[in-house]
Amino acid sequence: MKTCQWCESVNISETTNTVYWELPDGTKAIEIRETPCIECHECYITYQTDETVNVIEEQLFLINTKLLEKTIQFIELLQQPRLLKRNYFDFSK
């Protein structure tokens, strides 16, 4: 059973929210709408899982971020064509 990463409550739900992300090159931040998140109904925090954070960061690292608008939906971000097939600098995999 999943629990809140902050208070360990089981009273959580999976939902979506809007996040703001700085691009890897530091040139700007973008708004990513409808991003998967966990909402805790005990401590009232809303957060992205480590998996979601990794997906966003890897995608931003592998696409041409100069083509991105200031606002994008999460699914649209994941559909952007990649310049590389995978992150060859991530040695954790």
Side-chain angles (χ1 to χ4, degrees):
M1 179 171 267
K2 292 183 179 183
T3 62
C4 174
Q5 290 180 347
W6 299 95
C7 72
E8 299 182 356
S9 170
V10 295
N11 190 9
I12 62 173
S13 59
E14 294 182 13
T15 187
T16 62
N17 69 350
T18 298
V19 297
Y20 300 88
W21 223 271
E22 184 177 350
L23 298 182
D25 63 6
T27 56
K28 66 180 178 180
I30 61 169
E31 176 184 78
I32 308 171
R33 295 185 322 260
E34 298 181 31
T35 305
C37 69
I38 302 295
E39 183 176 296
C40 178
H41 304 287
E42 293 291 326
C43 69
Y44 304 105
I45 193 165
T46 302
Y47 63 92
Q48 279 63 49
T49 64
D50 291 341
E51 179 183 339
T52 299
V53 169
N54 290 337
V55 165
I56 292 170
E57 290 183 350
E58 179 175 61
Q59 184 69 355
L60 289 174
F61 186 72
L62 297 175
I63 65 173
N64 185 353
T65 57
K66 293 184 184 347
L67 301 177
L68 293 177
E69 298 293 328
K70 292 181 181 179
T71 300
I72 192 167
Q73 288 187 4
F74 178 76
I75 194 72
E76 291 172 339
L77 176 64
L78 297 186
Q79 293 171 346
Q80 295 293 310
R82 290 181 169 196
L83 300 173
L84 298 171
K85 291 181 184 179
R86 67 180 193 91
N87 183 353
Y88 294 100
F89 302 103
D90 182 1
F91 302 108
S92 65
K93 296 178 184 178

